[in-house]
Structures are given as structure tokens and as C-alpha cells.
């Protein structure tokens, strides 16, 4: 097995063009790249571009606002920890995040797995409990599995609690890449596809990148060796002008993905058009509960609809460039707020909040100075 130094030597031995832009579509990839210092280790011709790999960053602003209002109205809101600090566009006198709603007396419960939500609901039998579930396929599949398993339980005490509903904000990853590739300026010459999503959905989900668009692609894991193997693969494809899909994470990402995960997703959820914060509606990019499960949908139980007078619903805060960071149009430190008004202690946009957000990753890796705005 080739180690990281071996892959670097192979890459440095390639006759590269003057510029090759490689996009990664995973916050975990971006974290590994930044922590390992790969941008500085690779030849200068290679640009590594962080892409739409952060589900927290694209969670619709109106969903965050709805969760805050539920918490203020006495509903127990359970959410993954990195959702608590994501700000939304609320009046100055109101909480702008679930964390602020909690500080103001709202009952907000951070959880680290869907399983914990059942315990939250059972320990609060006199309250409505809403699970604010945001995430990509790898997070949404366990949520679907939780629903499917709980509904199959014959013992009511082990089944789905009557006081629990879902505020679902699940997204599929590949439609965002398809959106970029269908645009006039996709902004990258090769793609490194996410290993965890491919583990669930199957690596072949990314075959459209070379087959339809003629762009090299490789699935990668999260170690330095796996990432460098994927970089080497797509760089050779660029040089040889022979694009195909290479699975460099074959020990985990198997053809067809995870059959159980895909089955429960199909049983519990439909694929719908969905809003991505700051980007807009992307066709076929979201998950919603099936109609027969409407009783479990918080939007139905609480009649949640975006307020018409909230004109900024779905947008980023003023001056925030998170949407262009997510789409790989600029680097994180090219946002005019980066390191000035926006830091992890006082985040303005969602990309500085989540551990999968490119801005937060770059800051944690030591990039503290803003660059010239793009």
C-alpha cells in the first residue's frame, strides 16, 4: 500500500498543466486537507477548492427561524449540536439562534445522534418535542432508520412517542454539484467525491460527473493517503484527457452503497425540490417525510409556513458570502467579513459555525487573516 509520501512523490512526478482546480465535496475532506497542510505540500499548479460539503451551512434560514419560534413557544426542540449557534435573520430584539433562544428560556436540547431524541421525548411526556434534523444523506439515513424501526415496534413504550415530530431539513449532495456543472462556469476541472455519502448511496451516484460532463472524478476517504490517491487519480485523468469515476475508498464505499440505509430512506422519505440557504431551490435535492407519515411532520402539526413579511427568508446575513464559499466561487478568507466581523466566537454566517464549514475549518487550521475580496 502506498503511503502519503509515496502519493506525493507520484503527484510531483506528473507533468501538470499550468492550473488544475480540484473541488472536494465534503467538510470532512476539507478538514483533513487543511489539518494535514496538503495545499502547501502539493505542486503550486493544483488548486484545492472546498465545495458544498456542509449541511449546516445550507440549512434554510426559515427552518432555523421556525425552530427558534417553537422553542420560544414552549416546545422542546432537539437538534444536533452544531445547529445551535447558526444565526438567522431575526429582529434585534429576538433570538437569532437556538443557542440564544435557550439562553432566553427556550427548552433546546443538543443531541449527538437520532437515538437520543427518543429519550428526550419520553422524558418530556407533557411537552411537544420537535427533532430539528438537518444533514446530508449520511445523517438523514439514520433519522429514517429511527423512524422505520420505531414505527415497527409492537410495544408502544418502545415505539414512536406520540409527542415527537420531525422538522426535517435533509439534503442530497450530488444535485448541488450538478447545479454547478450545469452552469456556465462550474469553477473546477476535477472532483473528489465524498466517501461517507458514497458509503450510503453508492459511489456510482457520481458517475454523471465524467459521463455527462467529461470531468474526472474520484471517491476518497478521509485519511491523507486516500485523499492523495484520489488527487493522483483525477490529475492523471486530466493529463490523459480520459475522465472516469475512480473509487479510491473501495474498502468502505461499495457498489450500491448501504442497502439497508437506502431501503429505509425509500420507505420513510420522498425526494423533493429543496431550498439551499443563499443559493435557492435545487430540484430533487431534499428529503421529506412521506405523505402517510404526515402525523410525524412538525410542519403539519404546527402549521409552519415561512412568514410572508420576512423578506430575507433564505438569505445570508448582510455582507456574508457563505453562499459563494459553499459553491466554491471564493475561498473562505476572501469573504469581506472573514476574520473581521466574523469569527468562531462571533459568527455572522453558518460557514463559521459548523465543524464542516469551510470558514471554521480554515480558521481552526491557522488561517486568521482575510485575503483581498474576490
Amino acid at each position: 500500500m502506498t503511503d502519503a509520501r509515496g502519493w506525493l512523490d507520484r503527484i510531483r512526478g506528473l507533468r501538470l498543466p499550468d492550473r488544475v482546480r480540484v473541488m472536494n465535496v465534503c467538510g470532512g475532506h476539507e478538514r483533513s486537507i487543511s489539518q494535514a497542510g496538503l495545499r502547501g505540500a502539493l505542486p503550486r499548479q493544483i488548486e484545492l477548492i472546498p465545495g458544498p460539503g456542509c449541511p449546516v451551512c445550507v440549512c434554510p434560514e426559515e427552518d432555523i427561524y421556525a425552530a427558534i419560534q417553537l422553542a420560544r413557544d414552549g416546545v422542546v426542540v432537539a437538534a444536533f449540536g452544531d445547529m445551535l449557534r447558526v444565526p438567522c435573520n431575526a429582529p434585534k430584539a429576538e433570538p437569532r439562534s437556538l443557542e440564544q433562544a435557550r439562553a432566553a428560556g427556550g427548552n433546546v436540547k443538543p443531541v449527538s445522534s437520532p437515538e437520543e431524541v427518543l429519550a428526550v421525548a419520553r422524558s418530556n411526556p407533557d411537552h411537544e418535542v420537535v427533532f430539528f434534523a438537518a444533514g446530508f444523506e449520511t445523517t438523514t439515513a439514520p433519522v429514517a432508520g429511527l423512524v422505520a424501526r420505531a414505527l415497527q415496534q409492537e410495544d408502544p413504550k418502545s415505539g414512536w412517542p406520540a409527542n415527537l415530530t420531525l422538522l426535517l431539513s435533509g439534503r442530497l449532495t450530488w444535485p448541488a454539484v450538478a447545479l454547478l456543472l450545469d452552469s456556465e462556469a462550474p469553477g473546477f476541472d476535477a472532483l473528489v467525491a465524498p466517501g461517507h455519502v458514497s458509503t450510503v448511496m453508492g459511489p456510482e451516484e457520481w458517475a454523471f460527473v465524467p459521463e455527462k460532463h467529461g470531468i474526472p472524478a474520484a471517491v476518497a476517504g478521509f485519511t491523507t493517503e486516500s485523499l492523495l490517491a484520489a488527487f493522483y487519480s483525477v490529475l492523471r485523468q486530466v493529463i490523459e484527457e480520459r475522465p472516469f469515476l475512480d473509487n479510491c475508498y473501495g474498502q468502505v464505499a461499495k457498489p450500491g452503497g448501504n442497502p439497508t440505509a437506502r431501503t429505509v430512506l425509500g420507505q420513510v422519505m420522498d425526494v423533493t425540490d429543496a431550498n439551499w440557504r443563499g443559493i435557492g431551490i435545487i430540484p430533487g435535492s431534499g428529503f421529506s417525510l412521506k405523505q402517510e407519515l404526515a402525523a410525524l411532520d412538525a410542519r403539519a402539526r404546527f402549521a409552519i409556513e415561512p412568514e410572508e413579511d420576512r423578506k430575507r427568508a433564505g438569505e445570508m446575513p448582510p455582507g456574508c458570502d457563505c453562499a459563494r464559499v459553499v459553491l466554491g466561487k471564493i475561498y473562505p478568507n476572501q469573504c469581506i467579513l472573514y476574520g473581521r466581523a466574523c469569527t468562531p466566537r462571533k459568527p455572522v454566517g453558518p460557514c463559521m459555525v459548523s465543524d464542516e464549514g469551510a470558514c471554521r475549518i480554515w480558521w481552526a487550521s491557522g488561517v486568521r487573516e482575510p485575503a483581498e475580496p474576490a
Side-chain angles (χ1 to χ4, degrees):
M1 179 180 293
T2 305
D3 61 11
R5 182 179 295 276
W7 285 118
L8 272 174
D9 289 342
R10 290 189 184 190
I11 291 171
R12 290 166 177 164
L14 295 173
R15 300 187 64 178
L16 296 168
D18 292 339
R19 185 189 189 199
V20 186
R21 299 164 300 172
V22 182
M23 175 176 279
N24 67 80
V25 192
C26 175
H29 283 171
E30 181 58 31
R31 188 163 52 248
S32 295
I33 288 167
S34 298
Q35 289 179 347
L38 292 186
R39 284 187 173 85
L42 291 168
R44 58 173 180 78
Q45 300 101 309
I46 302 170
E47 294 184 25
L48 301 182
I49 301 172
C54 172
V56 171
C57 303
V58 301
C59 179
E61 193 262 1
E62 55 266 33
D63 287 1
I64 300 167
Y65 185 80
I68 292 171
Q69 302 316 305
L70 289 170
R72 296 180 73 195
D73 291 341
V75 175
V76 179
V77 176
F80 295 122
D82 54 0
M83 286 302 308
L84 267 60
R85 299 184 67 229
V86 179
C88 74
N89 299 302
K92 290 184 178 180
E94 297 182 10
R96 297 182 61 244
S97 67
L98 283 170
E99 182 181 58
Q100 291 181 7
R102 187 184 189 190
N107 201 339
V108 179
K109 302 285 189 183
V111 296
S112 57
S113 74
E115 292 285 347
E116 294 177 34
V117 177
L118 295 180
V120 172
R122 289 172 184 145
S123 62
N124 291 273
D126 297 328
H127 291 80
E128 292 285 345
V129 177
V130 170
F131 178 23
F132 182 21
F136 286 147
E137 298 93 328
T138 45
T139 304
T140 308
V143 174
L146 180 73
V147 174
R149 188 169 66 254
L151 293 177
Q152 290 168 0
Q153 294 290 334
E154 295 182 2
D155 181 2
K157 294 182 179 179
S158 302
W160 188 266
N163 62 331
L164 176 61
T165 51
L166 291 174
L167 179 59
L168 185 63
S169 194
R171 297 292 180 266
L172 291 95
T173 316
W174 72 264
V177 175
L179 175 76
L180 288 171
L181 290 174
D182 288 335
S183 69
E184 294 181 359
F188 58 96
D189 308 302
L191 180 79
V192 171
H196 56 355
V197 171
S198 298
T199 300
V200 174
M201 306 301 288
E204 61 275 8
E205 188 175 58
W206 300 96
F208 76 95
V209 177
E211 292 175 1
K212 181 180 178 182
H213 300 280
I215 289 181
V219 175
F222 303 92
T223 64
T224 303
E225 290 80 6
S226 183
L227 282 164
L228 288 172
F231 294 152
Y232 178 73
S233 174
V234 296
L235 291 169
R236 281 198 58 179
Q237 293 178 51
V238 168
I239 293 167
E240 297 172 3
E241 298 182 349
R242 187 172 59 93
F244 63 96
L245 175 64
D246 193 5
N247 185 6
C248 299
Y249 198 39
Q251 67 271 40
V252 178
K254 306 293 184 182
N258 184 317
T260 302
R262 297 188 67 170
T263 296
V264 295
L265 279 169
Q267 289 174 344
V268 172
M269 298 183 185
D270 290 323
V271 173
T272 60
D273 299 345
N275 187 22
W276 291 50
R277 187 175 186 181
I279 298 169
I281 302 293
I282 300 181
S285 67
F287 290 105
S288 64
L289 287 170
K290 287 187 174 295
Q291 185 60 40
E292 57 266 31
L293 297 176
L296 307 185
D297 192 340
R299 290 182 175 86
R301 181 172 295 190
F302 298 98
I304 296 172
E305 293 289 345
E307 297 178 19
E308 291 298 326
D309 61 346
R310 298 190 67 249
K311 300 299 184 181
R312 294 191 57 80
E315 296 185 16
M316 295 295 180
C320 173
D321 244 340
C322 276
R324 289 206 295 162
V325 171
V326 166
L327 291 174
K329 301 297 185 182
I330 63 171
Y331 287 113
N333 65 338
Q334 289 178 310
C335 173
I336 196 171
L337 300 183
Y338 183 94
R340 297 183 175 98
C342 186
T343 66
R345 284 185 177 273
K346 294 184 178 180
V348 174
C351 291
M352 191 61 90
V353 176
S354 172
D355 286 341
E356 293 192 339
C359 296
R360 177 66 177 268
I361 292 168
W362 278 43
W363 184 274
S365 299
V367 180
R368 302 295 170 86
E369 296 297 324
E372 290 297 320

